[in-house]
Amino acid sequence: MLVGAGNARRGLAHVALLAGVLTGCAGAEEDGTRANASTSAKATADRTGSNAEVAARGGTIGASGSACELPVTFDIAKEWKAEAVDGGTATDKATDDAGELGQDVADALLHQGPVTAACEVDAKPAGHIGFLRVWTGEPGDDDARTVLEAFVAAEGSTSKAKYQDFKAGDLKGVEVQYLYTSELLDETKPERALAVTTARGPVVVHLGGLDTGEHRAMLPAYELAKRTLRTA
């Protein structure tokens, strides 16, 4: 995907986010939410093998019968809510909210580079504004690094990407930390993602957040997902 196309789609995605297109998209904040978002009070420190905090476990997704059936399984943070992304439902909601732009908005939200949105884990029940999103693709020859680089390139307006290998259980993958600059919101914020390849295709797990404070507050949930990632 061309970076220019990614910018256009990303802009539409922000419009959709602000309009509340996908299920659970953030709208008005409740009193006290932003104050909670700047901390990780709901996270439980787990210092084994890393200095990063790891959130308290709230459940597992990915297996058959779970909220999201995926090529991988991983634990989600306590109070976070997982929901499968239904392409048809998202398109219908986008059309209702954005009229003729509905299809374009839905496409922008559902596809990024070589992968398609499959699941979103909403942080709002835990007091944060953001999602841990899972993207899946068709089986192919691309390795995890190639998939992840294409994913970041398709987002557009990214910089200072730092890639590193990681291992979790039976999986080896690649992780990236980078900055994303939103022209619509006129701000730059950190984002993080990881990619693995499986017999059922590549999987990308991405953490954004409304702003830098929200992103940092949600990192323990991302760390929990990364450390517990396994083949389904």
Side-chain angles (χ1 to χ4, degrees), residues 57 59-63 68 70 72-77 119 121 132-134 203-205 221-222 224-230:
R57 177 182 178 277
T60 302
I61 62 171
C68 298
L70 305 164
V72 296
T73 65
F74 61 87
D75 291 347
I76 62 174
C119 179
V121 190
L132 191 67
R133 286 195 169 97
V134 186
V203 177
V204 174
V205 179
Y222 171 87
L224 174 66
K226 183 177 76 171
R227 295 191 191 188
T228 58
L229 199 65
R230 303 290 187 271

Side-chain angles (χ1 to χ4, degrees), residues 132-196:
L132 191 67
R133 286 195 169 97
V134 186
W135 307 69
T136 59
E138 296 297 324
D141 297 328
D142 289 343
D143 60 19
R145 175 70 178 254
T146 300
V147 170
L148 195 55
E149 287 179 342
F151 178 84
V152 173
E155 187 167 357
S157 299
T158 61
S159 62
K160 298 185 178 180
K162 296 181 179 179
Y163 293 85
Q164 63 180 16
D165 297 335
F166 79 95
K167 183 178 181 180
D170 58 339
L171 291 169
K172 293 181 180 180
V174 178
E175 179 182 21
V176 63
Q177 300 180 44
Y178 61 99
L179 297 178
Y180 169 71
T181 300
S182 168
E183 296 178 2
L184 181 67
L185 301 179
D186 191 26
E187 67 175 2
T188 298
K189 60 189 181 72
E191 298 193 358
R192 193 172 298 201
L194 61 84
V196 295

